[in-house]
Amino acid sequence: MEAAHLALQLSKVPSMRKAVLTAAEKLTVLTHNLSALLLALATALVFWQVVTRFVLGDAAAWSEVLARGVVIWMVFLVAGAGFRLSAMIPLEFVRSVLPDRMQRSVSFIVLLCILAFLGVLTWFGVLMTIRVSTQQVAMLNIPISWLYAAIPVGAVLAIPGAILEFLRPIEPSRAEHDVQRDRESFE
């Protein structure tokens, strides 16, 4: 009931809607940039692992484990940007053969499936994080739940990216564009 009321209020107040969309866009950009930093960190950790193993002759086991954890966080944080940039399983072919009205309907169904999937990830990610909260990561002596927390955190942070992608205007397909250009050339 509260969510429906909030959605109604957002639709009535364009400035509030714009502020929410801007905040969602900024959150998506932030998670994208943070993921890029985590990729750089993971690269440095793997490089350190190679140096210690092959140059120093004594591998730093902690760097491999930490790099794995950093990559896990990176992947889950960048999911929202992946949705926002249409980098997740594109349906452009299906959209291109459907009329505009059907394209929006298909996009809405896809959005509902994505939100359901993210909800499942959040729910079971929280349960898994709680379940492993007493275990420690070998070599790092930190709770393994810090790594598992990437699942629900990333899923929640991906929701704005999925919604922003749905709100993106549907661009005419290439075939429609070519037909329109041909019509104009004959007129």
Side-chain angles (χ1 to χ4, degrees):
M1 182 77 172
E2 288 294 321
H5 180 68
L6 178 62
L8 182 62
Q9 293 300 325
L10 286 177
S11 66
K12 289 182 177 178
V13 183
S15 62
M16 182 184 274
R17 183 175 188 260
K18 184 177 180 182
V20 169
L21 292 176
T22 301
E25 194 73 57
K26 287 182 179 184
L27 178 65
T28 302
V29 168
L30 175 69
T31 57
H32 181 267
N33 291 338
L34 185 56
S35 295
L37 289 173
L38 290 176
L39 177 61
L41 177 60
T43 303
L45 288 168
V46 170
F47 178 75
W48 178 250
Q49 173 70 12
V50 170
V51 167
T52 59
R53 177 171 296 193
F54 296 109
V55 175
L56 303 177
D58 187 23
W62 63 269
S63 63
E64 178 184 349
V65 175
L66 186 56
R68 197 175 323 141
V70 167
V71 168
I72 290 168
W73 271 96
M74 177 196 65
V75 167
F76 279 100
L77 286 179
V78 82
F83 285 121
R84 177 66 180 114
L85 300 171
S86 296
M88 305 287 203
I89 310 174
L91 297 171
E92 294 305 319
F93 173 73
V94 174
R95 289 181 187 167
S96 69
V97 297
L98 295 173
D100 288 343
R101 269 195 142 137
M102 291 297 295
Q103 288 179 15
R104 185 52 67 188
S105 298
V106 167
S107 295
F108 184 70
I109 292 168
V110 169
L111 174 67
L112 291 179
C113 291
I114 289 170
L115 293 177
F117 176 70
L118 293 173
V120 167
L121 273 180
T122 302
W123 177 257
F124 286 104
V126 167
L127 293 177
M128 287 173 51
T129 303
I130 292 169
R131 186 176 303 134
V132 299
S133 64
T134 59
Q135 299 175 16
Q136 296 284 315
V137 177
M139 307 292 179
L140 296 179
N141 293 324
I142 61 169
I144 199 167
S145 58
W146 289 12
L147 301 181
Y148 278 84
I151 299 168
V153 170
V156 168
L157 292 174
I159 292 171
I163 293 171
L164 286 170
E165 173 55 22
F166 171 74
L167 295 175
R168 175 181 60 95
I170 294 179
E171 300 163 359
S173 68
R174 183 172 289 179
E176 289 176 17
H177 180 67
D178 291 345
V179 168
Q180 183 65 25
R181 186 189 63 213
D182 291 343
R183 283 185 189 154
E184 290 171 0
S185 67
F186 285 119
E187 292 176 355

